[in-house]
Amino acid sequence: MSLLFLLSCAGTAPPAPPPAPSPRDLPAEPPDDLGATAGEPVRVEGRDLRLRLGGAVVVVPYLSARLVPAGAIVDLEHRDSFEVAVDALEVRIPEQALGDAVRGLGDDDGPLRDLRITADGDVFTGTGHARALGVPFSLRADPGVTDDGALFLALEQAKVLGVGVRGFLGALQGPIEAAAERRGTLLDVSQGELRVDPFPFQAPPVVHATFTSAEVTDGALVARLGEAPSGEAEPGLALQGGILRSGNTVPA
């Protein structure tokens, strides 16, 4: 991969130059000699990635995706210039990350408090207090995949005084959604389910990922889509094809 640096020429004794433009001010067009690949996706291949989420480490054994530009190039300084299409992925979200997300919803004036979530065999269990109801609760959740490929935790049972599973979630849905919007979180409530978002950041870019399986393995939520790559590969991330700009450089 070669790097083309975008520089401006200056005379031998010029006055002090004006401030350099920020990356966001640069035109979103490729140089003429790179125009042949304009508009093509940038392919991303990753193996054994470690991503820190709060105090936990999310492991990605493999990733195959495309950064699909809306125009000529993928510009990392303009996140609405591309979308992410995930073709294959395995992600391992440890119970610590899910626990941190749940506890984040219980901070301050959140709807839940004293929350704990742990892996128990092939399911997750949780305990805490519903602030609005003023009563303790416990729950047991089994990971799954919706018809449209989203991850969720299906409540197999929830024990709380006089309130059923759907009534329990219904009473908390609005406050949980408000808390999630303020903080950005792995967890959300939708149609009586605890949804899990493995891409807990606000779009753009939009991420298209249709999961096919989810299970609890070795204390982590393991979700997969697509086919796992064959053969051995060094850990790391590789980019290929298309035109990608980061800062003032254009890798080709």
Side-chain angles (χ1 to χ4, degrees):
M1 179 178 289
S2 60
L3 292 179
L4 174 63
F5 290 88
L6 306 182
L7 303 176
S8 60
C9 298
T12 56
S22 71
R24 288 184 174 274
D25 296 331
L26 294 172
E29 295 295 333
D32 293 338
D33 57 343
L34 297 181
T37 56
E40 294 184 2
V42 176
R43 178 157 289 282
V44 181
E45 301 289 341
R47 292 287 189 94
D48 295 327
L49 306 176
R50 301 289 192 272
L51 310 176
R52 183 162 294 280
L53 183 61
V57 175
V58 175
V59 179
V60 180
Y62 60 84
L63 165 68
S64 179
R66 290 164 290 131
L67 308 183
V68 182
I73 68 175
V74 172
D75 189 344
L76 298 183
E77 302 298 333
H78 296 264
R79 294 189 300 171
D80 57 354
S81 71
F82 66 98
E83 295 186 353
V84 181
V86 181
D87 299 314
L89 171 68
E90 178 180 315
V91 58
R92 296 174 174 263
I93 304 172
E95 63 178 20
Q96 180 184 351
L98 291 172
D100 288 346
V102 172
R103 283 189 291 275
L105 293 178
D107 290 346
D108 303 327
D109 59 346
L112 309 175
R113 61 185 177 85
D114 304 327
L115 291 160
R116 297 292 184 269
I117 186 167
T118 58
D120 183 7
D122 59 355
V123 298
F124 288 105
T125 59
T127 59
H129 286 79
R131 195 181 302 272
L133 303 174
V135 293
F137 69 87
S138 64
L139 58 84
R140 177 183 171 95
D142 189 17
V145 178
T146 65
D147 292 339
D148 58 355
L151 302 177
F152 72 97
L153 297 177
L155 291 186
E156 296 179 347
Q157 57 183 235
K159 297 180 180 179
V160 63
L161 296 178
V163 181
V165 170
R166 290 193 175 273
F168 171 66
L169 281 178
L172 300 176
Q173 179 165 351
I176 287 179
E177 288 177 343
E181 288 179 1
R182 289 197 306 270
R183 295 179 175 87
T185 178
L186 283 169
L187 298 179
D188 194 5
V189 176
S190 177
Q191 299 178 353
E193 297 170 339
L194 281 172
R195 294 291 182 100
V196 181
D197 182 3
F199 312 105
F201 53 81
Q202 294 184 345
V206 174
V207 179
H208 302 279
T210 304
F211 288 92
T212 55
S213 69
E215 61 186 8
V216 180
T217 302
D218 297 330
L221 171 60
V222 180
R224 300 182 181 91
L225 68 90
E227 296 185 4
S230 59
E232 299 293 329
E234 292 293 326
L237 193 67
L239 306 176
Q240 184 178 12
I243 304 173
L244 180 146
R245 177 164 61 196
S246 176
N248 293 336
T249 65
V250 180

